Amino acid sequence: MHVWQIERGDYDWLTPDLGIIYRDFEIDDVWNEAADAGVSRTILVQAAASAAETDYLLGLATTDGRVAGVVGWVDFEAPDAAAQIARRARDRRIVGLRPMIADIPDPSWILEDAFTPALEAMLVNGLVFDAHARPDLVNVMTLLATRYPDLQIVLNHGGEPPIASRQLDEWRRDISTLARQKNVACKLSGLLTEAGPYSDDVAIGEVVEHFADCFGPNRLLWGSDWPVLNMAGSYSAWASQSERLIGTYLPGHARAIWVGNAERIYLHRTGV
C-alpha cells in the first residue's frame, strides 16, 4: 500500500483532478478493512520520486509494527547512485527500490548502460527491483530481467493490463514472455483501476487466470494498491474478489499469494 501527506510537496503526479485520492492517507484509514481481510502486516511502497519520501516511510516503519518493510526510491541518475543504494541497504527496513519508470518519457530509460552500477548495487545488497510498468514497458522488463538474471524483479500491477479496452492480446503475449524469466514475480494488484466497466469476476478472472498460467503460484503476490484503489473500489471489496479469484484459479495456494511469497521475496533481508 501507499501512504502520503500532500503538504510534503513531492508527489508530482498527485493533483486535484484525481478527486477522492487527493488528500492525506494513513495506515489507520484502512486498517479495519485490512484486518478484516486477514492482513496483519504491510509493505509501504514509495509514491514520490524523492529521498525525502523514503525517509518519511522509514520513519513510519520505525514506529509502526504493522510495517514489514519499505520499497523506497533512489535517484538512479545521480553520479553516486550505487553508493546511495549501498547506504540505503544498510537499513534492513528497506526491502526494495522503485524508480518511477512509467513516468519517464523514454521507455528504454532503465536499460541505459549508465545505470549498470546502480542495478548491480541492488543485486549485491539483495534489494528487489519493483517494476513500475505500463503495458508497453513489459518487454522492457523482459530485457532487464535477461540482462540481470539474479536481480529479483516484481512487476507492479500486472503490467497494467488494458482490461477496459478489451485489447489484451499483445499484453498477454508480453506477459507470457516476461514470465519465462524466473527472476520475475508479479503483483496481483491495480487491476480494478484498469478495468473500467469490466470489473466483474469474469473479466478480472481472465487476467488472473493468465497470471496463474504464466507465473504459477510461487511468483504471484497479492497487493491492494490502496489508496489508488479507492478510485475504482474499496479495499474490502478488492480483497473479497481476490479471495474468490485465487480460490478459482490458484486453489490451495492462497497463503503463498497473500503472505508466503511476499515474505520470501521482500523480507529475506529483514529476518522478520
Side-chain angles (χ1 to χ4, degrees), residues 44 52 56-57 74 76-78 101 107 109 117 122 129 134 140 149 158 165 186 200 221 246 248 260 263:
L44 298 181
Y56 162 61
L57 298 180
V74 164
F76 272 45
E77 295 183 327
I101 59 176
W109 175 84
M122 290 188 67
F129 183 94
R134 307 178 302 257
V140 174
S165 70
C186 178
D200 58 275
L221 307 80
I246 291 167
T248 298
E263 287 183 334

Side-chain angles (χ1 to χ4, degrees), residues 62-75:
T62 300
T63 59
D64 193 329
R66 296 170 296 187
V67 180
V70 169
V71 173
W73 180 90
V74 164
D75 182 3

